[in-house]
Amino acid sequence: MGKLKVSRFADGEVNIQVQENIRGKDIYIIQPTCPPVNENLMELLLMISTFRRASAHKINVVIPYYGYCRQDRKSAPRVPISAADVARLLETMGVDRVIAIDLHCG
């Protein structure tokens, strides 16, 4: 377990601060994207960004609950495939590996 401080600014924005040297290390982030989904997803994205900027070697994300997993195919015209969009966000942020525990639970 590493030293990470997650706090909020007065307006609700997330503030992430790594409190140890992680340069060149393999990092594992365990973060569910359960309700409140958008808040937890934003925390995860900012953690990934923080670790990438701190020169982590590999970033592995363990997601016990994958938010937006129910939207994994088009159910109607002109709707997003949100599960794929979340995966693209993670990839773009620089995640090396995603480990999802149960994509369709509940």
Side-chain angles (χ1 to χ4, degrees), residues 69-90:
C69 68
R70 288 180 177 86
Q71 300 177 49
D72 63 346
R73 64 182 78 77
K74 287 187 79 147
S75 59
R78 297 172 300 282
V79 297
I81 302 175
S82 301
D85 294 337
V86 169
R88 245 183 251 108
L89 280 170
L90 295 170

mmCIF file with all atom_site columns, all heavy atoms in Angstrom, residues 69-90:
data_model
loop_
_atom_site.group_PDB
_atom_site.id
_atom_site.type_symbol
_atom_site.label_atom_id
_atom_site.label_alt_id
_atom_site.label_comp_id
_atom_site.label_asym_id
_atom_site.label_entity_id
_atom_site.label_seq_id
_atom_site.pdbx_PDB_ins_code
_atom_site.Cartn_x
_atom_site.Cartn_y
_atom_site.Cartn_z
_atom_site.occupancy
_atom_site.B_iso_or_equiv
_atom_site.pdbx_formal_charge
_atom_site.auth_seq_id
_atom_site.auth_comp_id
_atom_site.auth_asym_id
_atom_site.auth_atom_id
_atom_site.pdbx_PDB_model_num
ATOM 1   N N   . CYS A 1 69 ? -20.726 -0.536 -17.459 1.00 0.00 ? 69 CYS A N   1
ATOM 2   C CA  . CYS A 1 69 ? -20.619 -1.851 -18.105 1.00 0.00 ? 69 CYS A CA  1
ATOM 3   C C   . CYS A 1 69 ? -21.940 -2.289 -18.739 1.00 0.00 ? 69 CYS A C   1
ATOM 4   O O   . CYS A 1 69 ? -21.941 -3.103 -19.653 1.00 0.00 ? 69 CYS A O   1
ATOM 5   C CB  . CYS A 1 69 ? -20.135 -2.895 -17.116 1.00 0.00 ? 69 CYS A CB  1
ATOM 6   S SG  . CYS A 1 69 ? -21.305 -3.275 -15.813 1.00 0.00 ? 69 CYS A SG  1
ATOM 7   N N   . ARG A 1 70 ? -23.037 -1.762 -18.264 1.00 0.00 ? 70 ARG A N   1
ATOM 8   C CA  . ARG A 1 70 ? -24.333 -2.147 -18.851 1.00 0.00 ? 70 ARG A CA  1
ATOM 9   C C   . ARG A 1 70 ? -24.530 -1.556 -20.245 1.00 0.00 ? 70 ARG A C   1
ATOM 10  O O   . ARG A 1 70 ? -25.400 -1.975 -20.981 1.00 0.00 ? 70 ARG A O   1
ATOM 11  C CB  . ARG A 1 70 ? -25.468 -1.707 -17.936 1.00 0.00 ? 70 ARG A CB  1
ATOM 12  C CG  . ARG A 1 70 ? -25.556 -2.537 -16.681 1.00 0.00 ? 70 ARG A CG  1
ATOM 13  C CD  . ARG A 1 70 ? -26.700 -2.073 -15.781 1.00 0.00 ? 70 ARG A CD  1
ATOM 14  N NE  . ARG A 1 70 ? -26.806 -2.924 -14.626 1.00 0.00 ? 70 ARG A NE  1
ATOM 15  C CZ  . ARG A 1 70 ? -26.118 -2.768 -13.501 1.00 0.00 ? 70 ARG A CZ  1
ATOM 16  N NH1 . ARG A 1 70 ? -25.271 -1.762 -13.398 1.00 0.00 ? 70 ARG A NH1 1
ATOM 17  N NH2 . ARG A 1 70 ? -26.275 -3.587 -12.491 1.00 0.00 ? 70 ARG A NH2 1
ATOM 18  N N   . GLN A 1 71 ? -23.723 -0.560 -20.568 1.00 0.00 ? 71 GLN A N   1
ATOM 19  C CA  . GLN A 1 71 ? -23.822 0.081  -21.878 1.00 0.00 ? 71 GLN A CA  1
ATOM 20  C C   . GLN A 1 71 ? -22.695 -0.425 -22.778 1.00 0.00 ? 71 GLN A C   1
ATOM 21  O O   . GLN A 1 71 ? -21.871 0.328  -23.255 1.00 0.00 ? 71 GLN A O   1
ATOM 22  C CB  . GLN A 1 71 ? -23.751 1.603  -21.713 1.00 0.00 ? 71 GLN A CB  1
ATOM 23  C CG  . GLN A 1 71 ? -24.872 2.153  -20.850 1.00 0.00 ? 71 GLN A CG  1
ATOM 24  C CD  . GLN A 1 71 ? -24.735 3.641  -20.640 1.00 0.00 ? 71 GLN A CD  1
ATOM 25  O OE1 . GLN A 1 71 ? -24.538 4.372  -21.595 1.00 0.00 ? 71 GLN A OE1 1
ATOM 26  N NE2 . GLN A 1 71 ? -24.830 4.077  -19.402 1.00 0.00 ? 71 GLN A NE2 1
ATOM 27  N N   . ASP A 1 72 ? -22.689 -1.738 -23.004 1.00 0.00 ? 72 ASP A N   1
ATOM 28  C CA  . ASP A 1 72 ? -21.609 -2.350 -23.777 1.00 0.00 ? 72 ASP A CA  1
ATOM 29  C C   . ASP A 1 72 ? -21.985 -2.637 -25.226 1.00 0.00 ? 72 ASP A C   1
ATOM 30  O O   . ASP A 1 72 ? -21.217 -3.228 -25.961 1.00 0.00 ? 72 ASP A O   1
ATOM 31  C CB  . ASP A 1 72 ? -21.115 -3.618 -23.093 1.00 0.00 ? 72 ASP A CB  1
ATOM 32  C CG  . ASP A 1 72 ? -22.178 -4.696 -23.003 1.00 0.00 ? 72 ASP A CG  1
ATOM 33  O OD1 . ASP A 1 72 ? -23.364 -4.385 -23.221 1.00 0.00 ? 72 ASP A OD1 1
ATOM 34  O OD2 . ASP A 1 72 ? -21.824 -5.850 -22.700 1.00 0.00 ? 72 ASP A OD2 1
ATOM 35  N N   . ARG A 1 73 ? -23.164 -2.222 -25.638 1.00 0.00 ? 73 ARG A N   1
ATOM 36  C CA  . ARG A 1 73 ? -23.589 -2.366 -27.040 1.00 0.00 ? 73 ARG A CA  1
ATOM 37  C C   . ARG A 1 73 ? -24.630 -1.309 -27.332 1.00 0.00 ? 73 ARG A C   1
ATOM 38  O O   . ARG A 1 73 ? -25.218 -0.734 -26.427 1.00 0.00 ? 73 ARG A O   1
ATOM 39  C CB  . ARG A 1 73 ? -24.140 -3.762 -27.294 1.00 0.00 ? 73 ARG A CB  1
ATOM 40  C CG  . ARG A 1 73 ? -25.406 -4.094 -26.514 1.00 0.00 ? 73 ARG A CG  1
ATOM 41  C CD  . ARG A 1 73 ? -25.912 -5.501 -26.758 1.00 0.00 ? 73 ARG A CD  1
ATOM 42  N NE  . ARG A 1 73 ? -25.209 -6.530 -26.055 1.00 0.00 ? 73 ARG A NE  1
ATOM 43  C CZ  . ARG A 1 73 ? -25.347 -6.829 -24.769 1.00 0.00 ? 73 ARG A CZ  1
ATOM 44  N NH1 . ARG A 1 73 ? -26.168 -6.136 -24.034 1.00 0.00 ? 73 ARG A NH1 1
ATOM 45  N NH2 . ARG A 1 73 ? -24.682 -7.806 -24.219 1.00 0.00 ? 73 ARG A NH2 1
ATOM 46  N N   . LYS A 1 74 ? -24.855 -1.086 -28.599 1.00 0.00 ? 74 LYS A N   1
ATOM 47  C CA  . LYS A 1 74 ? -25.870 -0.096 -28.988 1.00 0.00 ? 74 LYS A CA  1
ATOM 48  C C   . LYS A 1 74 ? -27.258 -0.672 -28.745 1.00 0.00 ? 74 LYS A C   1
ATOM 49  O O   . LYS A 1 74 ? -27.605 -1.712 -29.269 1.00 0.00 ? 74 LYS A O   1
ATOM 50  C CB  . LYS A 1 74 ? -25.711 0.283  -30.454 1.00 0.00 ? 74 LYS A CB  1
ATOM 51  C CG  . LYS A 1 74 ? -24.506 1.160  -30.706 1.00 0.00 ? 74 LYS A CG  1
ATOM 52  C CD  . LYS A 1 74 ? -24.481 1.652  -32.122 1.00 0.00 ? 74 LYS A CD  1
ATOM 53  C CE  . LYS A 1 74 ? -25.462 2.785  -32.179 1.00 0.00 ? 74 LYS A CE  1
ATOM 54  N NZ  . LYS A 1 74 ? -25.146 3.843  -33.084 1.00 0.00 ? 74 LYS A NZ  1
ATOM 55  N N   . SER A 1 75 ? -28.035 0.012  -27.937 1.00 0.00 ? 75 SER A N   1
ATOM 56  C CA  . SER A 1 75 ? -29.398 -0.442 -27.666 1.00 0.00 ? 75 SER A CA  1
ATOM 57  C C   . SER A 1 75 ? -30.416 0.305  -28.509 1.00 0.00 ? 75 SER A C   1
ATOM 58  O O   . SER A 1 75 ? -31.568 -0.098 -28.587 1.00 0.00 ? 75 SER A O   1
ATOM 59  C CB  . SER A 1 75 ? -29.721 -0.248 -26.177 1.00 0.00 ? 75 SER A CB  1
ATOM 60  O OG  . SER A 1 75 ? -29.574 1.114  -25.840 1.00 0.00 ? 75 SER A OG  1
ATOM 61  N N   . ALA A 1 76 ? -29.979 1.371  -29.137 1.00 0.00 ? 76 ALA A N   1
ATOM 62  C CA  . ALA A 1 76 ? -30.841 2.184  -29.988 1.00 0.00 ? 76 ALA A CA  1
ATOM 63  C C   . ALA A 1 76 ? -29.937 3.033  -30.880 1.00 0.00 ? 76 ALA A C   1
ATOM 64  O O   . ALA A 1 76 ? -28.742 3.164  -30.602 1.00 0.00 ? 76 ALA A O   1
ATOM 65  C CB  . ALA A 1 76 ? -31.740 3.074  -29.120 1.00 0.00 ? 76 ALA A CB  1
ATOM 66  N N   . PRO A 1 77 ? -30.505 3.617  -31.926 1.00 0.00 ? 77 PRO A N   1
ATOM 67  C CA  . PRO A 1 77 ? -29.692 4.502  -32.760 1.00 0.00 ? 77 PRO A CA  1
ATOM 68  C C   . PRO A 1 77 ? -29.255 5.748  -31.980 1.00 0.00 ? 77 PRO A C   1
ATOM 69  O O   . PRO A 1 77 ? -29.942 6.198  -31.068 1.00 0.00 ? 77 PRO A O   1
ATOM 70  C CB  . PRO A 1 77 ? -30.637 4.901  -33.905 1.00 0.00 ? 77 PRO A CB  1
ATOM 71  C CG  . PRO A 1 77 ? -31.773 3.950  -33.848 1.00 0.00 ? 77 PRO A CG  1
ATOM 72  C CD  . PRO A 1 77 ? -31.853 3.447  -32.445 1.00 0.00 ? 77 PRO A CD  1
ATOM 73  N N   . ARG A 1 78 ? -28.109 6.290  -32.339 1.00 0.00 ? 78 ARG A N   1
ATOM 74  C CA  . ARG A 1 78 ? -27.604 7.538  -31.775 1.00 0.00 ? 78 ARG A CA  1
ATOM 75  C C   . ARG A 1 78 ? -27.378 7.493  -30.264 1.00 0.00 ? 78 ARG A C   1
ATOM 76  O O   . ARG A 1 78 ? -27.646 8.458  -29.559 1.00 0.00 ? 78 ARG A O   1
ATOM 77  C CB  . ARG A 1 78 ? -28.509 8.720  -32.153 1.00 0.00 ? 78 ARG A CB  1
ATOM 78  C CG  . ARG A 1 78 ? -28.562 8.968  -33.664 1.00 0.00 ? 78 ARG A CG  1
ATOM 79  C CD  . ARG A 1 78 ? -29.590 9.987  -34.054 1.00 0.00 ? 78 ARG A CD  1
ATOM 80  N NE  . ARG A 1 78 ? -30.957 9.646  -33.695 1.00 0.00 ? 78 ARG A NE  1
ATOM 81  C CZ  . ARG A 1 78 ? -31.739 8.791  -34.347 1.00 0.00 ? 78 ARG A CZ  1
ATOM 82  N NH1 . ARG A 1 78 ? -31.276 8.169  -35.400 1.00 0.00 ? 78 ARG A NH1 1
ATOM 83  N NH2 . ARG A 1 78 ? -32.957 8.548  -33.943 1.00 0.00 ? 78 ARG A NH2 1
ATOM 84  N N   . VAL A 1 79 ? -26.891 6.352  -29.755 1.00 0.00 ? 79 VAL A N   1
ATOM 85  C CA  . VAL A 1 79 ? -26.520 6.242  -28.342 1.00 0.00 ? 79 VAL A CA  1
ATOM 86  C C   . VAL A 1 79 ? -25.045 5.803  -28.261 1.00 0.00 ? 79 VAL A C   1
ATOM 87  O O   . VAL A 1 79 ? -24.563 5.103  -29.149 1.00 0.00 ? 79 VAL A O   1
ATOM 88  C CB  . VAL A 1 79 ? -27.407 5.239  -27.561 1.00 0.00 ? 79 VAL A CB  1
ATOM 89  C CG1 . VAL A 1 79 ? -28.848 5.700  -27.536 1.00 0.00 ? 79 VAL A CG1 1
ATOM 90  C CG2 . VAL A 1 79 ? -27.302 3.847  -28.125 1.00 0.00 ? 79 VAL A CG2 1
ATOM 91  N N   . PRO A 1 80 ? -24.352 6.226  -27.225 1.00 0.00 ? 80 PRO A N   1
ATOM 92  C CA  . PRO A 1 80 ? -22.942 5.833  -27.113 1.00 0.00 ? 80 PRO A CA  1
ATOM 93  C C   . PRO A 1 80 ? -22.797 4.395  -26.612 1.00 0.00 ? 80 PRO A C   1
ATOM 94  O O   . PRO A 1 80 ? -23.712 3.844  -26.003 1.00 0.00 ? 80 PRO A O   1
ATOM 95  C CB  . PRO A 1 80 ? -22.402 6.810  -26.060 1.00 0.00 ? 80 PRO A CB  1
ATOM 96  C CG  . PRO A 1 80 ? -23.591 7.107  -25.205 1.00 0.00 ? 80 PRO A CG  1
ATOM 97  C CD  . PRO A 1 80 ? -24.779 7.096  -26.139 1.00 0.00 ? 80 PRO A CD  1
ATOM 98  N N   . ILE A 1 81 ? -21.659 3.817  -26.889 1.00 0.00 ? 81 ILE A N   1
ATOM 99  C CA  . ILE A 1 81 ? -21.284 2.543  -26.267 1.00 0.00 ? 81 ILE A CA  1
ATOM 100 C C   . ILE A 1 81 ? -20.333 2.950  -25.135 1.00 0.00 ? 81 ILE A C   1
ATOM 101 O O   . ILE A 1 81 ? -19.117 2.979  -25.288 1.00 0.00 ? 81 ILE A O   1
ATOM 102 C CB  . ILE A 1 81 ? -20.632 1.592  -27.284 1.00 0.00 ? 81 ILE A CB  1
ATOM 103 C CG1 . ILE A 1 81 ? -21.591 1.336  -28.448 1.00 0.00 ? 81 ILE A CG1 1
ATOM 104 C CG2 . ILE A 1 81 ? -20.250 0.274  -26.606 1.00 0.00 ? 81 ILE A CG2 1
ATOM 105 C CD1 . ILE A 1 81 ? -20.998 0.511  -29.565 1.00 0.00 ? 81 ILE A CD1 1
ATOM 106 N N   . SER A 1 82 ? -20.926 3.293  -24.011 1.00 0.00 ? 82 SER A N   1
ATOM 107 C CA  . SER A 1 82 ? -20.197 3.933  -22.919 1.00 0.00 ? 82 SER A CA  1
ATOM 108 C C   . SER A 1 82 ? -19.111 3.060  -22.316 1.00 0.00 ? 82 SER A C   1
ATOM 109 O O   . SER A 1 82 ? -18.074 3.563  -21.879 1.00 0.00 ? 82 SER A O   1
ATOM 110 C CB  . SER A 1 82 ? -21.170 4.390  -21.840 1.00 0.00 ? 82 SER A CB  1
ATOM 111 O OG  . SER A 1 82 ? -22.096 5.292  -22.395 1.00 0.00 ? 82 SER A OG  1
ATOM 112 N N   . ALA A 1 83 ? -19.308 1.751  -22.263 1.00 0.00 ? 83 ALA A N   1
ATOM 113 C CA  . ALA A 1 83 ? -18.280 0.861  -21.720 1.00 0.00 ? 83 ALA A CA  1
ATOM 114 C C   . ALA A 1 83 ? -16.999 0.971  -22.551 1.00 0.00 ? 83 ALA A C   1
ATOM 115 O O   . ALA A 1 83 ? -15.897 1.024  -22.002 1.00 0.00 ? 83 ALA A O   1
ATOM 116 C CB  . ALA A 1 83 ? -18.776 -0.576 -21.684 1.00 0.00 ? 83 ALA A CB  1
ATOM 117 N N   . ALA A 1 84 ? -17.143 1.033  -23.858 1.00 0.00 ? 84 ALA A N   1
ATOM 118 C CA  . ALA A 1 84 ? -15.983 1.185  -24.736 1.00 0.00 ? 84 ALA A CA  1
ATOM 119 C C   . ALA A 1 84 ? -15.352 2.561  -24.581 1.00 0.00 ? 84 ALA A C   1
ATOM 120 O O   . ALA A 1 84 ? -14.124 2.701  -24.634 1.00 0.00 ? 84 ALA A O   1
ATOM 121 C CB  . ALA A 1 84 ? -16.386 0.954  -26.187 1.00 0.00 ? 84 ALA A CB  1
ATOM 122 N N   . ASP A 1 85 ? -16.179 3.566  -24.366 1.00 0.00 ? 85 ASP A N   1
ATOM 123 C CA  . ASP A 1 85 ? -15.658 4.924  -24.180 1.00 0.00 ? 85 ASP A CA  1
ATOM 124 C C   . ASP A 1 85 ? -14.840 5.032  -22.897 1.00 0.00 ? 85 ASP A C   1
ATOM 125 O O   . ASP A 1 85 ? -13.799 5.677  -22.872 1.00 0.00 ? 85 ASP A O   1
ATOM 126 C CB  . ASP A 1 85 ? -16.799 5.942  -24.177 1.00 0.00 ? 85 ASP A CB  1
ATOM 127 C CG  . ASP A 1 85 ? -17.494 6.031  -25.536 1.00 0.00 ? 85 ASP A CG  1
ATOM 128 O OD1 . ASP A 1 85 ? -16.861 5.678  -26.552 1.00 0.00 ? 85 ASP A OD1 1
ATOM 129 O OD2 . ASP A 1 85 ? -18.660 6.444  -25.568 1.00 0.00 ? 85 ASP A OD2 1
ATOM 130 N N   . VAL A 1 86 ? -15.295 4.397  -21.823 1.00 0.00 ? 86 VAL A N   1
ATOM 131 C CA  . VAL A 1 86 ? -14.536 4.390  -20.574 1.00 0.00 ? 86 VAL A CA  1
ATOM 132 C C   . VAL A 1 86 ? -13.211 3.655  -20.785 1.00 0.00 ? 86 VAL A C   1
ATOM 133 O O   . VAL A 1 86 ? -12.158 4.113  -20.326 1.00 0.00 ? 86 VAL A O   1
ATOM 134 C CB  . VAL A 1 86 ? -15.359 3.760  -19.420 1.00 0.00 ? 86 VAL A CB  1
ATOM 135 C CG1 . VAL A 1 86 ? -14.486 3.500  -18.199 1.00 0.00 ? 86 VAL A CG1 1
ATOM 136 C CG2 . VAL A 1 86 ? -16.535 4.650  -19.067 1.00 0.00 ? 86 VAL A CG2 1
ATOM 137 N N   . ALA A 1 87 ? -13.235 2.546  -21.503 1.00 0.00 ? 87 ALA A N   1
ATOM 138 C CA  . ALA A 1 87 ? -12.001 1.809  -21.796 1.00 0.00 ? 87 ALA A CA  1
ATOM 139 C C   . ALA A 1 87 ? -11.032 2.682  -22.593 1.00 0.00 ? 87 ALA A C   1
ATOM 140 O O   . ALA A 1 87 ? -9.825  2.689  -22.329 1.00 0.00 ? 87 ALA A O   1
ATOM 141 C CB  . ALA A 1 87 ? -12.316 0.527  -22.556 1.00 0.00 ? 87 ALA A CB  1
ATOM 142 N N   . ARG A 1 88 ? -11.559 3.441  -23.553 1.00 0.00 ? 88 ARG A N   1
ATOM 143 C CA  . ARG A 1 88 ? -10.721 4.344  -24.338 1.00 0.00 ? 88 ARG A CA  1
ATOM 144 C C   . ARG A 1 88 ? -10.110 5.446  -23.479 1.00 0.00 ? 88 ARG A C   1
ATOM 145 O O   . ARG A 1 88 ? -8.960  5.840  -23.672 1.00 0.00 ? 88 ARG A O   1
ATOM 146 C CB  . ARG A 1 88 ? -11.537 4.958  -25.475 1.00 0.00 ? 88 ARG A CB  1
ATOM 147 C CG  . ARG A 1 88 ? -11.021 4.528  -26.821 1.00 0.00 ? 88 ARG A CG  1
ATOM 148 C CD  . ARG A 1 88 ? -11.754 5.175  -27.978 1.00 0.00 ? 88 ARG A CD  1
ATOM 149 N NE  . ARG A 1 88 ? -12.572 4.149  -28.613 1.00 0.00 ? 88 ARG A NE  1
ATOM 150 C CZ  . ARG A 1 88 ? -13.883 4.057  -28.543 1.00 0.00 ? 88 ARG A CZ  1
ATOM 151 N NH1 . ARG A 1 88 ? -14.587 4.943  -27.901 1.00 0.00 ? 88 ARG A NH1 1
ATOM 152 N NH2 . ARG A 1 88 ? -14.515 3.081  -29.144 1.00 0.00 ? 88 ARG A NH2 1
ATOM 153 N N   . LEU A 1 89 ? -10.892 5.959  -22.518 1.00 0.00 ? 89 LEU A N   1
ATOM 154 C CA  . LEU A 1 89 ? -10.361 6.962  -21.586 1.00 0.00 ? 89 LEU A CA  1
ATOM 155 C C   . LEU A 1 89 ? -9.183  6.398  -20.793 1.00 0.00 ? 89 LEU A C   1
ATOM 156 O O   . LEU A 1 89 ? -8.152  7.058  -20.647 1.00 0.00 ? 89 LEU A O   1
ATOM 157 C CB  . LEU A 1 89 ? -11.449 7.414  -20.611 1.00 0.00 ? 89 LEU A CB  1
ATOM 158 C CG  . LEU A 1 89 ? -12.456 8.432  -21.097 1.00 0.00 ? 89 LEU A CG  1
ATOM 159 C CD1 . LEU A 1 89 ? -13.595 8.567  -20.082 1.00 0.00 ? 89 LEU A CD1 1
ATOM 160 C CD2 . LEU A 1 89 ? -11.788 9.768  -21.312 1.00 0.00 ? 89 LEU A CD2 1
ATOM 161 N N   . LEU A 1 90 ? -9.343  5.188  -20.280 1.00 0.00 ? 90 LEU A N   1
ATOM 162 C CA  . LEU A 1 90 ? -8.276  4.554  -19.507 1.00 0.00 ? 90 LEU A CA  1
ATOM 163 C C   . LEU A 1 90 ? -7.025  4.352  -20.365 1.00 0.00 ? 90 LEU A C   1
ATOM 164 O O   . LEU A 1 90 ? -5.903  4.614  -19.922 1.00 0.00 ? 90 LEU A O   1
ATOM 165 C CB  . LEU A 1 90 ? -8.750  3.219  -18.927 1.00 0.00 ? 90 LEU A CB  1
ATOM 166 C CG  . LEU A 1 90 ? -9.871  3.310  -17.885 1.00 0.00 ? 90 LEU A CG  1
ATOM 167 C CD1 . LEU A 1 90 ? -10.407 1.923  -17.568 1.00 0.00 ? 90 LEU A CD1 1
ATOM 168 C CD2 . LEU A 1 90 ? -9.395  4.009  -16.631 1.00 0.00 ? 90 LEU A CD2 1
#
